[in-house]
Amino acid sequence: MKFTRGLPAHHRSPYPVVTIGNFDGQHRGHRWLLRTVVETARAKQGTALVVTFDPHPVRILAPQVELKFLTSKEEKLAQFERAGVDEVVLLEFTQELAALTPDAFVNEVLCGAIGMKEIFVGEHFAFGRERAGRIADLVRLGGSLGFQVHPLAPYRVDGEIVSSSAIRRMVQKGDVQRAATFLGRPYSLGGTVTRGSRRGRSLGWPTANLPLPPDRVIPADGVYATTMHNEGRTLPSVSYIGTRPTFGSGVRLLEVYLLDERVDLYGAEVVVRFVARLRGDHAFESPEALAVQISLDVEQARELLAHQNPVAVDV
């Protein structure tokens, strides 16, 4: 997959079939859109091309908004490649770019620099200064500039529109099973395992500790059935997110207990996938009472993971 930061300067790719957006989460609706773009490009012997932005436009237009993401930039690019996208054009979102009128954005960016021949976007797509451009404007410009416009209806699961904002709310509530249905895969967080306070070890439940990424959507505090992924291995686990209130106020973190292996993961890069929430977080009367509850959590997670049906990615 070709990756271009900024507008292409020297040459255009053959017959660009374009889609444009932020694609946070790479959920089932995104993959359905990308598959349509890729299939159209293949049929026309053209280029499946994604235009996206960094930073997210909200960071520039509404910096007071606390925006958290479902995927990192690296994860998003990897998902584009897995979808069969040929080229990604990453535009720096600036006040100058935001100030372009809809006509100027299409003329200068999509047609002038990229040479767009077809574009697939959601039927409520908005673009240009103050998001003033709509599908009707794209159709009008396509007639004069020679590109085709394909508006797509929202992708739905069980009658509900699949969107990044809806998935963010699900994850923040701890409803990771519903989020997985919308994503087409379990929600995940990655990071480097760090040294912890070793309280888990003292209770008989040694854990791998991960700091929570400050710019990512974090599941609600509580205990989850999870899988940990490291160097091609998938390890069943139970994970805790919270501040460990039994021991007083602490830093919010992610602790992962491996069910069937004892591996020294200090310094390792791992990914934790959230399968189901087992319970919320609360303070216990004593560390011993907490240890008893953890044993129950572990058995519940083991049972759930043994009988889980993986979320099928159908788009």
Side-chain angles (χ1 to χ4, degrees):
M1 183 181 74
K2 181 180 178 181
F3 174 72
T4 304
R5 185 177 290 274
L7 293 176
H10 303 297
H11 69 277
R12 295 178 180 176
S13 299
Y15 199 89
V17 180
V18 172
T19 188
I20 181 170
N22 293 296
F23 296 96
D24 183 36
Q26 293 280 358
H27 54 61
R28 290 170 64 178
H30 290 148
R31 290 198 296 280
W32 172 61
L33 170 60
L34 293 173
R35 185 178 68 180
T36 304
V37 168
V38 169
E39 290 176 350
T40 302
R42 297 290 180 273
K44 302 290 178 64
Q45 297 183 318
T47 303
L49 190 149
V50 172
V51 177
T52 190
F53 305 99
D54 183 47
H56 192 288
V58 171
R59 289 272 168 89
I60 301 301
L61 301 176
Q64 74 281 3
V65 174
E66 185 182 20
L67 186 62
K68 304 291 185 180
F69 300 102
L70 296 166
T71 45
S72 67
K73 283 178 269 191
E74 294 75 18
E75 290 169 334
K76 194 159 61 169
L77 289 173
Q79 290 281 4
F80 285 140
E81 188 160 22
R82 280 193 284 271
V85 171
D86 299 309
E87 184 172 354
V88 173
V89 174
L90 181 66
L91 300 180
E92 180 183 3
F93 196 87
T94 62
Q95 291 288 359
E96 292 73 22
L97 183 64
L100 290 178
T101 64
D103 285 33
F105 179 75
V106 172
N107 273 283
E108 297 174 21
V109 176
L110 298 182
C111 290
I114 294 173
M116 177 177 70
K117 296 301 182 185
E118 299 187 40
I119 183 169
F120 288 82
V121 289
E123 61 185 14
H124 302 300
F125 177 67
F127 64 100
R129 186 169 61 208
E130 298 180 348
R131 296 173 55 84
R134 294 292 189 269
I135 293 296
D137 298 294
L138 279 178
V139 173
R140 170 178 57 81
L141 291 163
S144 60
L145 297 173
F147 63 84
Q148 299 177 52
V149 181
H150 306 281
L152 300 180
Y155 188 86
R156 296 175 182 268
V157 170
D158 299 331
E160 187 175 349
I161 293 175
V162 175
S163 70
S164 298
S165 57
I167 296 169
R168 290 187 194 105
R169 290 191 294 270
M170 293 171 194
V171 173
Q172 289 168 336
K173 291 178 180 178
D175 191 358
V176 294
Q177 288 175 293
R178 182 70 170 161
T181 300
F182 276 48
L183 284 166
R185 65 187 185 282
Y187 183 65
S188 64
L189 292 172
T192 304
V193 177
T194 61
R195 295 287 185 197
S197 63
R198 296 181 177 262
R199 284 201 178 100
R201 186 178 298 275
S202 68
L203 295 173
W205 305 102
T207 60
N209 300 293
L210 285 84
L212 294 171
D215 62 343
R216 292 291 303 278
V217 177
I218 306 300
D221 287 359
V223 178
Y224 295 82
T226 56
T227 56
M228 176 185 278
H229 302 260
N230 168 254
E231 296 183 347
R233 295 176 297 175
T234 298
L235 306 172
S237 56
V238 59
S239 296
Y240 166 78
I241 293 177
T243 59
R244 295 172 290 185
T246 300
F247 302 98
S249 179
V251 175
R252 193 179 186 216
L253 80 168
L254 169 60
E255 296 180 319
V256 186
Y257 172 77
L258 299 179
L259 297 186
D260 299 316
E261 296 195 39
R262 293 295 172 265
V263 185
D264 184 5
L265 292 170
Y266 175 65
E269 293 292 325
V270 302
V271 173
V272 179
R273 294 179 180 165
F274 294 84
V275 177
R277 191 176 192 221
L278 304 180
R279 63 175 175 87
D281 188 21
H282 60 272
F284 288 83
E285 295 178 355
S286 66
E288 293 75 20
L290 172 59
V292 170
Q293 180 59 58
I294 292 173
S295 68
L296 297 175
D297 296 336
V298 166
E299 290 309 309
Q300 186 180 357
R302 191 186 302 278
E303 178 73 13
L304 190 151
L305 292 170
H307 297 92
Q308 70 164 318
N309 294 315
V311 175
V313 179
D314 61 354
V315 294

